[in-house]
Amino acid sequence: MAAIGVLTLEIRVENSHSLKDKRHVVKSLKDRLRHKFNVSVAEIDYQDLWQRALMAVVTVASDHAHGELVLQTVEKEAAELLGPQLVSATVEWVA
């Protein structure tokens, strides 16, 4: 049975002085994760705040172990790219 995993990333963009600045960081991360890992990525909250973003990364895998590996790798990549801007990361499983 397929496994659906959701990785939620909370980001704080300290150097952002406008929504445009924040969108640049968010779009760059979204594009990189989508292309490198073939996952779905969306900003799901704080769209109107300059220095915060909540993003969801979703993968559908043939088994739980493979999905877990994908999301762990995505989290590691996001942590390397964002550094201290990554406030938290949580994983949830659907079905």
Side-chain angles (χ1 to χ4, degrees):
M1 182 164 193
I4 303 168
V6 181
L7 171 65
T8 305
L9 303 171
E10 185 173 352
I11 301 166
R12 182 153 179 85
V13 188
E14 296 286 335
N15 298 329
S16 175
H17 300 291
S18 67
L19 287 175
K20 186 176 180 180
D21 290 344
K22 182 185 93 168
R23 277 192 216 107
H24 176 73
V25 172
V26 169
K27 183 174 178 354
S28 175
L29 180 63
K30 281 172 49 175
D31 291 345
R32 178 143 181 173
L33 296 178
R34 280 180 181 154
H35 294 293
K36 189 167 184 178
F37 300 104
N38 194 27
V39 293
S40 295
V41 185
E43 183 178 6
I44 59 171
D45 205 356
Y46 311 126
Q47 288 92 343
D48 58 341
L49 298 180
W50 294 3
Q51 295 184 330
R52 278 183 89 182
L54 190 65
M55 298 177 69
V57 180
V58 179
T59 189
V60 178
S62 58
D63 60 55
H64 184 84
H66 178 62
E68 184 74 38
L69 179 62
V70 169
L71 292 181
Q72 286 175 354
T73 308
V74 168
E75 182 181 345
K76 183 179 176 186
E77 180 79 11
E80 288 175 3
L81 291 171
L82 297 170
Q85 292 181 13
L86 181 59
V87 175
S88 69
T90 57
V91 175
E92 296 177 47
W93 292 95
V94 180

